[in-house]
Amino acid sequence: MEWKANWIWDQSGEHPRNQWSCFRRTFTVESDFNSAILSISADTKYTLYVNGELINSGPVRGWPTEWYYDQYELTSLNKGENVISVLVNHYGMSTMHYIEGRGGLIAQLDVYNQGQLINQILTDDQWKTENHNGFIKESVKMSNCLSWSEIYDAGLFSEDWAQLHFDDTSWERANVIGSYGMNPWKTLIARDIPYLTDEITFPKTVLSQKEVSPISQHFSIDLKPTFFPGELDNNSGKIMQGYVATEIQSTEDMPGVMSLTFDPHAEAKWEFKLNGKEYKTKNGTFEEVHLQKGSNLLIVDVGGFFHEPIIHLAFDFPETIELKAPFCSSDSQITAFGPFYRTTQLQIGKPVDRSIPLVDEYIQMKKVTSLSELESFEKWAKAIPNEHVCTDHVGILSMFKKDIKTHSLPFQHQNMILPNHSFTYVEPKENGDTEYLIDFGKEYLGHIEFELEASKGTIFDFFLFESIHQDGRIEHTFSLNNSLRYIAKDGRQMFRSFIPRGFRYMMLTIRNLNAPCKIYNVKVNVTTFPTGNVGGFRSSDYLLNEVWDISKHTIRMCAQDTIIDCPAYEQALWTGDSYNISLMNYYAFGNYDLVRRCLRLISKSVYRSPLPESHVPSGWQNVLTAWSILWVMACREYYRYTADLEFIKEIYPEIKLTIQRFEEFLNKDGLLEIDAWNMLDWAPMDTNHTIVTHQNALLVDALRQTAYLASLLGEKEDETTFLSFADHLKQAINEHLWDENEKVYVDSIHEDGTPSKVRSIQTNLIVYLTECAEGERRGLIEYYIVNPPENFVQIKSPFVLFFYYQALMNLGKNDIVLDNIREIYGYMLEHDATTCWEGWELIEGDFSRSHCHAWSAAPTYVFGVLFLGVKPLEPGFKKVSISPNLNGLKWIKGSVPIPQGKIDIYCKDLGEYIDLQITLPDEIEVQIDVAKGTRVIVNGKQYSLDKE
C-alpha cells in the first residue's frame, strides 16, 4: 500500500474531549471499474458509510507510532455519483486500551479497471466536515478503564448526513494536518486479523416492569483536567490534595439527603462539610442534611489516591437546587481549590517515592466553615468548566432510585424482544418512570440496537450489568457506568450504539414519557473474533458439560481485536492473563492469529518501560512483574502449538531485551529485586515487597524457555547464557527463600532482610511448576499441593486455579481437579452464571467483580488435556500425543483444534472393553497412550498398540 492521502481533521483541536466529527467526500466514477479499495484509519475510532450504507468500524487497537488501518473492497459504488461518509469519535484522553494521540482521519480510495488505476480519492481539504451535535459531550466514562458513555439526542442532528444527496454546503472544509508518516502515527500497519463479527442477538425475556423515581439531582464532576491539567494519560497512582466547593442555592429551608461517591478504586476520605457541619461518610451512602434558605456552602475534601479523579454528588430535596461556583464570574457551578500537591506514582520497576507531604494550605483549608473564611484561599480557586460536569449519569439514575410500584407483565410487554414485527405499547405511568428489566440469557459484548416510535424528548436510558441475586439484588460492578442515553425525535426511529458494551442484563428506563410510545425491538449486535466452532466437549456428566459451555463462551466473548480480560469493566489486554487464556483458546478455538497479534503488541511495550507492561497498549503505564515473565513463557507456548518460527525470529529481540533488563534487577544475592506490582492472586499473599519468591521462580522457567527459543534460532551463546542465568537464580531461590524450620518456601523477603512469615499455596505451587524445588523439598511441596495446609493462604481466583490444575494433573491427581471444578464452577452455575467469574469474595456481599473473565476459563484447557489427552509432542502438532481418560465417566467425546484442522475423539466404556475412535489429519504423526483393554480406531482403521 502506497499512501498518498493526508491526515485531516476539523476545528475541534488536537485533543478534543469526547469529540464526534462527521466527514464527507462526494465524487464521481465516470467509467467502468472492477475493483475499488478503500484504505482508512482514524484516531480514535471511525464508523464508515458508503452511499449511506454502514460498512464497518475500526481501527483495531495499537501503539500510536504503529497505528493500524483497514481496507475494504467497495462493491456498492455507483457508476456516477458516490459519497464516502465517516464518523470519527476522538476520546481526547487515554484509556486502558488506547494511548491518546490526536484527532485525525486518513483515507484513500483506489479505483481500478483491468488492473489500471482510473480514479483516486484522498483525504484532503476537499472533504467536508461538521461536528455531530447529537452526541452530548458532557458525559461520564463507562469506567476508569473505558471511554465515554454515549448520550445521544436524535433531534439535534440530521440522521441523513451520510446519504448521497444530503446537502453539506454549510459544512466547513477539513483541515490538512499533515502527510502520511506524521506524528504520532509514524507508521500505518495493515490490519493483521479478520474483521469482527456482527451477530444480531435478541433477549430471552423481559423479567419485570416497575414504576420508579430517580434521585432528583446529581452532578458528576471530572476533576482530572483541573487538578492534572494537560495530562491525558490513564495512569493510576494519581495523588492530590485539594477541595471542591459550591454554593447550594435553596429557595427555602428544607431537609434532604446527599451522597458523595468516588471511583471505588480511590483511597479517598469521603468527607464533606455543609454550612460548617462535618460529615464523614462512606462511598455512595446517603447522609441526611439540611439546607437553609439562600446560600449553603458545601466543601468536599478530594484529597487522596486515584485511578480516575472523579466525584459524584447526588441530592434529593423536595425542591430543585442550583449550584454556584464561589469566586467565579462565569456560570460555572463548582470551584476547585488546589491542587496543593499532586503527583503520579508510576510502578514500572523503578523505586517509587511513597512519602506524601501534607501541604499547610491543604491542612488549613480543612478548618474553613464559611464563605468569608474561604476568601483567604481564593488564589487557589479555579472554576471547573461545566463541560466537565455531567447531570445525565445514567448509572447513578438507575442505581439511586425509588421503586414506586411493581406492575404486572402481560405478554405484550415481551413483544419488544421478539424477532418479528410486533411491538410493546408503553403508556405514561401515574407517578414515575417506566423501568423494564430485560435478560439476554447470556453475557454478550456488542452494540445495542433498538427501534421505537416516540415523541420528541422522550428519554430511553439503557443501564447494563452482569448479575442479579436470587432476591433481586443487582451487582453493580464497581459502580460501572455501563450505560447509554437516547433522547428521541418525533416518530419511528432506530439507533445502533457506536460503542460495544459487555452485559447480560439490561435495565431500560423510559423517562419524560408524556405520550404513549412503542418499542418494536431491542437487541445486541454481538461483536467478537470470527472463528469456527471447532473445539468441543461432551460427556456423560451434565455438570461438566455445562462447565465447558460457560468456559468456552467466556473465551469467545473475551476474543476481540485482542484477547481481553472482560467484556464489561476493562476490555483490556492483560499481559499475564494472555498466557493462560492463549492455552485455553488453543483448545477451544485455535485462534493462533489473535494470540500472535497480542504477543506482538505486548513486545512493543519494552520500548516505553523497563519490562513488558502489565496491559497494552494502555494509557496506564504499569509493570506487573509476573505478567512480564508470563509473556516470555506465552511466546514459547505459542511456538509449541504453532511451529511459527518466523514469529519467533521477529519477536526474539524484544524477548532477549526483556531478559537482559531482568538481569539489571538482580541483587547481591542473585535474586530478582524490583519495585513493581507483585500481584499473583486476589489473596492476602505477602508480596508487597521487592523480593518476591513466585516472581523469581517464574523467571527461572522463562529463562529456560528463552534459551530454547535461542537454540531454534542458532543463538548458541544466548542459549548458554540464559541457562546459566536460570541455574544461578534457582540456586539463589533455594538458598535464600526456603524456610528450613517450617519446610516451606516463603512469600517474600522484607526490606529489612527478614523472611516473610506468610505461607501460601500460590508461592509453593509456582516453585513446584517451575521445577525450582528438588529432592525432599519437591516431595514436601507435592504434599502441600495435594493437601493444602489450613494455615497457608488459599487460592482466591480461577487464574491461579489454572496453575493448580496443571500441578495436580502432573501428579496424577485428576480426581482432585474434577472435584475442585465441580465445586468452584458448580457454585457459579448454581447462581445462574453463563460465563466464568473473575474470582470470589472480591467484593463483600457480591459473587464477583467481573462475571465474565477469560482468565477463569481453565476447563477448556483442562478438559482437552485431562479427558481428551491431546498434547503436541512436536511444535505445531506435527506429532501429537493422544491419551484419553474417562476419569470414571461412561463416555466422553470432543474436538481439539490444531493448525492442520482438528482432532475428533470419542471414548466409551462398554464394560468388556473401552471403545476409542480418533479422527485426525492424515499428515499428523500420532502417539496413542491408553490402558490395556482399549479398542482403538484411527481414521476408520484398527490401530495396533505396541504395548499390546
Side-chain angles (χ1 to χ4, degrees), residues 737-757:
L737 297 172
W738 171 261
D739 186 329
E740 182 60 30
N741 293 327
E742 298 288 335
K743 304 294 184 183
V744 68
Y745 288 94
V746 300
D747 272 5
S748 61
I749 295 177
H750 294 186
E751 280 62 33
D752 63 2
T754 60
S756 170
K757 298 298 183 183

Side-chain angles (χ1 to χ4, degrees), residues 304-349:
F305 178 101
F306 298 86
H307 189 147
E308 192 67 25
I310 185 170
I311 66 170
H312 311 281
L313 300 175
F315 303 98
D316 211 353
F317 291 104
E319 302 292 335
T320 301
I321 61 171
E322 294 182 0
L323 303 186
K324 179 180 180 297
F327 312 129
C328 296
S329 57
S330 65
D331 61 352
S332 297
Q333 303 172 94
I334 314 287
T335 300
F337 289 86
F340 303 110
Y341 173 84
R342 72 164 180 258
T343 189
T344 301
Q345 292 182 345
L346 289 184
Q347 281 193 304
I348 57 172

Side-chain angles (χ1 to χ4, degrees), residues 128-286:
K128 304 296 287 293
T129 182
E130 181 66 274
N131 178 70
H132 196 312
N133 294 321
F135 291 94
I136 309 303
K137 296 183 180 180
E138 294 80 12
S139 183
V140 176
K141 293 172 68 176
M142 291 185 289
S143 76
N144 60 26
C145 318
L146 301 174
S147 62
W148 311 96
S149 180
E150 291 157 290
I151 303 175
Y152 185 83
D153 191 330
L156 296 181
F157 197 78
S158 173
E159 294 188 357
D160 295 329
W161 72 271
Q163 300 297 325
L164 175 59
H165 298 295
F166 174 79
D167 183 3
D168 61 10
T169 54
S170 65
W171 287 25
E172 295 181 343
R173 290 188 181 275
N175 297 324
V176 173
I177 59 174
S179 59
Y180 168 78
M182 68 172 288
N183 285 328
W185 318 287
K186 294 180 180 179
T187 304
L188 286 177
I189 303 173
R191 184 188 185 100
D192 53 353
I193 54 171
Y195 294 100
L196 303 184
T197 65
D198 191 11
E199 310 164 47
I200 295 177
T201 304
F202 284 83
K204 298 305 180 187
T205 185
V206 178
L207 294 173
S208 66
Q209 178 194 188
K210 290 182 179 180
E211 188 172 353
V212 299
S213 176
I215 192 165
S216 59
Q217 289 177 272
H218 70 280
F219 302 84
S220 294
I221 309 160
D222 187 356
L223 303 175
K224 184 177 174 182
T226 301
F227 282 85
F228 294 88
E231 297 188 20
L232 304 177
D233 58 72
N234 187 231
N235 284 316
S236 183
K238 293 199 172 298
I239 299 170
M240 65 185 192
Q241 293 169 7
Y243 299 85
V244 296
T246 185
E247 295 180 70
I248 302 176
Q249 307 297 317
S250 177
T251 57
E252 59 184 75
D253 288 344
M254 56 183 174
V257 294
M258 172 187 162
S259 174
L260 170 63
T261 305
F262 285 96
D263 174 0
H265 284 98
E267 295 178 13
K269 297 181 179 179
W270 287 284
E271 296 178 3
F272 65 91
K273 193 178 294 185
L274 180 61
N275 291 332
K277 182 177 179 181
E278 294 184 4
Y279 295 83
K280 291 187 177 181
T281 186
K282 293 182 179 179
N283 202 358
T285 300
F286 280 92

Side-chain angles (χ1 to χ4, degrees), residues 150-154 394 398 416 424 426 434 436 448 450-463 483-489 491 493 495 506-513 515-522:
E150 291 157 290
I151 303 175
Y152 185 83
D153 191 330
V394 174
S398 301
M416 71 173 80
T424 295
V426 186
T434 299
Y436 289 105
I448 301 168
F450 51 86
E451 186 172 1
L452 51 88
E453 184 177 321
S455 57
K456 184 177 181 179
T458 306
I459 296 172
F460 295 83
D461 280 349
F462 297 83
F463 182 59
S483 67
L484 161 69
R485 167 164 285 194
Y486 180 82
I487 306 170
K489 60 181 181 179
Q493 53 209 285
F495 183 80
M506 171 186 288
M507 182 184 290
L508 168 57
T509 308
I510 307 171
R511 310 186 197 278
N512 199 30
L513 185 63
C517 71
K518 298 176 182 178
I519 306 176
Y520 289 90
N521 57 67
V522 177

